[in-house]
Each structure stands twice: as structure tokens, then as C-alpha cells.
Amino acid sequence: MSPPKKTKSMSDFLAYGGLLHGITSRIRQSLELQEILTATVTEVRSFLQTDRVKVYRFHPDESGQVVAESIAIDRLPSLLGLNFPAGDIPPQAREMFVKAHQRSIVDVAAQQIILSSNAAPRSIVDLSLEDIRLQPIGDILQRPVDSCHLDYLTAMGVLSSLVVPILHQEHLWGLLVSHHSQPRAFKEEELQLVQLIADQLSIAIAQSELLTQARKQVRRETLINQITHLLHSPRNMPEILQLVLEQIVRAASGSGGRLYLSETDKNVRTLYTCGTQPALSTQEQPALLEENSFWQPLMQPETQPSQGGDSLHLQIIPDLYEDPQLESLTQAFRPTPIRGLLVMPLYHGSESLGCLTIFRNAIEIETLWAGYWDKDQRQQRPRASFEVWREYQKSQPPQWTREDIELIESLSLHLAMAIMQNRLYQLERHNLELNIARVVAEESSRLKSSFLASTSHELRTPLASTLNCLQILRKGFYKNTEELNKYIQLAEKSVRNIIDMINDVLDITKIEAGSMAVELEPVNLGSLLEELRDLFSLESQRKAVTLMIECEVNRVYTDKCKLRQVLTNLLSNAFKFTETGSVRIKIIKQEEPPNIEITVVDTGIGIEISQRELLLEPFVQEDGSIKRRYGGTGLGLAICKRLVELMGGKIHLDSPGKNQGTTVTVTLPDSTHSLKDQT
């Protein structure tokens, strides 16, 4: 429409232009619809100088609500926030607003309604909906006001009314209304300006809707990113799924939720729950809700008919007490406030993973109506009063919006992908563990076979030597007493070797079976080391290998027999594999953490770096040449490791490499306080 003509006074022209500029500036400055509506009614009422200006918004059910209002105090009562039934603005009136695209003016005193037009108005006594459809809108200009409409405005205290439609996407979004308690005529310039403002409001509504959609999209993507990040966090999967379920229930405004997962083995089921849950009776109902006949078909995609192209088969029950499919479960829900539910099956391809169930409680709705009206009776006459009437609706079924459904579908897709990825990972990990176990078992079998072969050889040699000595003694094939003693000593040595080997086997068997006990006591390290010096003195002299002992600790609280056995085995190995140089045993105290550290260092043949950990396992020696050259069962270090661990300590084997010596470090807990307590 064209702006006011300049033939009018300059002050009026500036006033019109200033108001329009102010409203449009406010619309451009803010995308918040409520701020724009509030500013609009304030500015328009200030311009028109009427008693009330309001914005009336239609609901989907064609009722409406006053969403913005500016009033003159003590002239007309406030209607802000009040709702009006659909019948207050009948369908033909709403269609007229859409077709006119302009405004209607009611003069209560003159009992006339005018539809604005550029042509001169003419009177129409009777105007039907069919006339509106057939006639051009320019011909519909002025007619008498319906008596009900007059009574309606009179009851509100209104003598003049201006109504301008607010359109959005060719639909009637609402009305911009001016009420005055006195008769008032409207200038053409005023009507044009109000119409321009209504057009600007249409733009603001479109912008606000875009903003609302953008904000919803941002919130949705933020939530999806948070849950996706959680699904791939380093936590264990059960903890992740519990947290994700709680977040999805909160995001969907649910009161409770269930995540039911069926493994590849159909007998394995996992259930996560949060919030309010139904009280199932195990005598009458299945153990799990998801085993009910309502849930089971949803988790079998091949039996599900297509639902409008929706491959997810999401199922919504707005009111579980009205759905015959859940009749057998209503008793389980009655003790709870749950009224509606949503079931989202989880699939990966054609494989069913389970389902996600979200509950919503019954809601209470409070509606403020402008005057009492009976929904079940047709209003023959307008309401005589518009005083606030509060309508309470209790235990109403919750509503699920399209946004709710899209959010849950998106989250469920990410959830299903994470569950499937975890299953594939667990399957791969299980297969890897099986392969490792197979390799270990094969290696263990090989080592045991090798151990039996070598032990048979080790036993056969001393047994044969002992048998030969006994045969020589029985037949008297010796020359004198000195030769006799020599054969007796040889037989005794062979028998002792056999006993040592049998003891090693028995020790490792008892340790592996967990039947070896630990007896802790104060041990005098000085005395123990002197025993060891005496025990290995002959070996030290025979091989010309020096035995050096350094001890900075007087006593330790441990198992004396097992500590002696460990040190004896370590020193025996050190002398066995050392041809020249020295063997050193050193004992020191560590402050942080409080430990006793025992090291046995030799200058012997050393070991390969890659073999350090393996040599602490049973039946292992570095290679066959060592076994053939030095003998032994390969149990010595393994027994030492198990005994040290029984005493609460650790053992570590180290060597720079071949022919560079070996260092064995034993760390035992320093229980000096226990000694003090005993003292």
C-alpha cells in the first residue's frame, strides 16, 4: 500500500512515518517474537490512542490466546494470557480474514462492520459464506453487524473495534486487534499504517520461526554430539549405556526408561533402567517387560509391516490405558504415574539388537479462559462475562511431538551403531584371546614335553650312575677303602640330584595349586647370609669365582625357609653359569616406598634381552645348548618368582646381553613396623 499522502499535515505524516520506522527498527533489532509483539501493541496503542491493543494467536484446534497486550488502566480489563474458544471466531469469519488480507472495523453504536477497501463502501444486508467465495473481495465492503457479535463486544465493554489479520505462509496466524470503550472512527492513513505493521509482524513471525528452528537444531546436534562422545569414551560399556540411557530419557522429557539388549545368543539378555518403572508381577507377567507380546514383534523387523516408509518401526502409545495391546499390563502401571510410552526398536541392518523404551507421566493442564463456557453445549448466545475461568484437566495423556520423535530416532541410530561396534570389538577381542590362549597352550604343551624329555634324561643319568656304583659295591670291584668311599659318595651325590629335581617339581606343583602357605617371622639376614657363604664356599673355591656379600639391613619380616630357598636357587644359578669373575649378593633398604631390595649379580654368560621375562616361566631355559651343557629342569627361576610373590614381593631379571652377566633383583616389603609391634 502507498504511504499517507503529503496533502495531510506534516505533523501527521511524520507521526505515521515515525511509528512505522520505530516498529520496523524493533523488528530488525530483535528476533525474539515476544519482544516484538509487546513493542508492537505498545506502539500501536500509543499511536491510535485506544483503550486496548492486543495480539491474538490461533491454536491448531482453532481456539486462541491473547499473547501480547497494551491497555489503558481502569478503562478495559486485561485479557493477556486468556484463551478463547474456537466458536468465538467462526470459520466464515476466519476465511474472510484470509481472503480479505486486510481488516474489519466494527462500530457498535452504528451496528455496522466495514471491510476495508480502496473503493467507496456500499451496504450489503445479507452476506453468506458462498457469497464471499463467489464475489471479488473489492465488492464486500459494509454490512450490518450480527447481533451476537454486538452482544459479544458489548459484554467486553467495547464500542469500537479494529481487527487486522496477521498471516503466515498463507495461513491465518493471528489478529492485531484494537478495542476502544467509546465510539471511534479510523482514518484511512491509520488503517494503512496498522496494515503495514501487521505485514511487518508476518515477517517477524517468519524470522522468529527460523530462529526457533535453528535453536532446536543446535540443541539437538549438541545433545547428539554429547551422547556420541559418551558412546565412544574410554569407560566400560555397561557404564556408558547406563549414562546414555539417562541422558536420552532427560532429553525426551521422560519419567523413566529401559534399554533392553538381546545378545547373539538369544538366551543372554541385558537390561538397563532409570527413573520410574512399572511393577511387574513375576507370577502373572514375564520376568521382563520386553518379553511381553507387545514388545516382541517390534524387535522382529521381518514380521513388521511398513509404516509409511519408516524402517525404524517406532511405536507410540499416547495413553496406555486406552490401548488394547497393553491391557494385560495395566495393573503393572497403575501404582505409577506413567501414562504414555514410546518404544524404539534398535537394529543394525536386519539384525535386532533390542529396544529403547521411554515412559512419560500423566500431565495436568491448566487453561485460563476468558469467561466460562461449556464444551459439550453449543453456545446460543455470547458469554455475559469474560472474567477468568480456570479449567483444570488432570491425568491427561502426554503428547509426543514430531521433534521428540526425530530426536529419539537420531539418538537411537547412534546408540545402535555404538552397540554393534562394541559387539564386533568384543568378538574380535574374544577371538584374539582364543588365539593367544591356543598359542600359550601349544607352547605350554611343547615346554612340558621338552621338560619331560629333559627331566627323563636328567633322572636317567644319576640313576644309572647310582646303579653302577651299587653294582660295583655288590660285586666288590674296588681295590681299597678309599675307592669304596669314592663310589659311596658318587652314589650319594646322584641320589641328592634326583631328590633336588623331584623337590623342584613338587614345589612348582604346590605353588600352582595354591597349597603352599607362608609363615612370616623375623629373619636375621646376617646369619642367613653366613649360611649361604658356607654352602657355596666349596663351589667358589672350585671354580675360582669370588663370592661377595654386602648387607645394610639387619632383619626382615618374611618366610625364612622360602627366602633361603630363593637365595639358594639364585646363587646356585649364578655359580652354574659363571666360569670366571665374581658373584655378588647385596641387600639394601629403600625408603620410598619402604622395601628391602636384594640383588644377585654375576659375571656369567648373560641372557638375550628378549628372553628376560620368559625365563621366569616354568620349564623354560634360554636354548637347547644351555640345557645340554649345564643341565637342569628350567624350574629354578620360576619357583623363585612364585615364592617371592607369595611373600608379597617382586622379582626382576636383567642382563645387558650375551656374556655380559646377569642381575636378579628381589624386592620384598619392609615390615619393620611389624617387628616393632612384636617387640
Side-chain angles (χ1 to χ4, degrees), residues 33-85:
L33 183 59
Q34 190 57 49
E35 293 181 7
I36 296 170
L37 296 178
T38 301
T40 299
V41 295
T42 302
E43 297 283 353
V44 172
R45 195 181 73 82
S46 175
F47 168 68
L48 295 177
Q49 293 296 303
T50 52
D51 295 333
R52 177 197 292 127
V53 173
K54 66 179 182 179
V55 173
Y56 180 89
R57 180 173 185 176
F58 287 100
H59 296 317
D61 63 356
E62 298 183 345
S63 64
Q65 182 183 25
V66 177
V67 295
E69 180 188 61
S70 175
I71 60 173
I73 301 175
D74 299 330
R75 299 295 294 273
L76 290 177
S78 174
L79 301 176
L80 183 62
L82 299 186
N83 290 267
F84 292 76

Side-chain angles (χ1 to χ4, degrees), residues 267-312:
N267 294 323
V268 180
R269 302 160 302 176
T270 308
L271 179 66
Y272 301 89
T273 64
C274 73
T276 307
Q277 298 294 317
L280 289 176
S281 172
T282 55
Q283 296 179 352
E284 302 176 1
Q285 303 292 343
L288 294 177
L289 193 68
E290 289 75 11
E291 295 175 354
N292 183 272
S293 58
F294 170 71
W295 271 265
Q296 284 297 312
L298 297 178
M299 292 182 281
Q300 299 174 7
E302 65 277 3
T303 64
Q304 283 291 311
S306 176
Q307 300 181 9
D310 182 5
S311 61
L312 298 175

Side-chain angles (χ1 to χ4, degrees), residues 28 131 215 241 264 316 321 328 331 450 505 591 622 631:
R28 292 167 183 167
D131 294 331
R215 286 174 173 171
L241 293 178
T264 306
I316 294 177
Y321 296 109
S328 62
Q331 291 303 319
S450 175
V505 175
E591 297 298 334
E622 190 170 4

Side-chain angles (χ1 to χ4, degrees), residues 219-275:
R219 285 195 295 268
R220 175 181 167 182
E221 292 180 358
T222 300
L223 179 63
I224 292 174
N225 289 337
Q226 289 174 348
I227 290 181
T228 303
H229 179 73
L230 181 57
L231 285 169
H232 296 88
S233 66
R235 294 185 175 94
N236 62 74
M237 199 59 183
E239 181 185 0
I240 289 174
L241 293 178
Q242 181 65 41
L243 292 173
V244 167
L245 173 62
E246 294 171 2
Q247 283 203 19
I248 292 177
V249 170
R250 283 197 300 271
S253 301
S255 59
R258 299 166 68 90
L259 177 59
Y260 172 87
L261 301 179
S262 57
E263 302 293 339
T264 306
D265 180 357
K266 298 300 181 182
N267 294 323
V268 180
R269 302 160 302 176
T270 308
L271 179 66
Y272 301 89
T273 64
C274 73

Side-chain angles (χ1 to χ4, degrees), residues 140-204:
I140 305 172
L141 300 174
Q142 182 174 322
R143 65 175 173 82
V145 184
D146 183 88
S147 60
C148 288
H149 196 172
L150 288 175
D151 293 343
Y152 188 89
L153 292 175
T154 302
M156 296 181 73
V158 175
L159 292 182
S160 66
S161 169
L162 168 64
V163 180
V164 179
I166 303 173
L167 303 177
H168 175 56
Q169 296 180 347
E170 299 302 321
H171 295 285
L172 186 60
W173 182 90
L175 304 171
L176 178 59
V177 182
S178 171
H179 285 162
H180 199 54
S181 59
Q182 299 295 326
R184 186 190 191 287
F186 293 94
K187 301 176 183 179
E188 180 63 25
E189 291 83 357
E190 292 175 330
L191 298 178
Q192 290 182 10
L193 186 59
V194 173
Q195 182 63 56
L196 288 173
I197 292 172
D199 295 341
Q200 290 297 314
L201 283 180
S202 298
I203 297 173

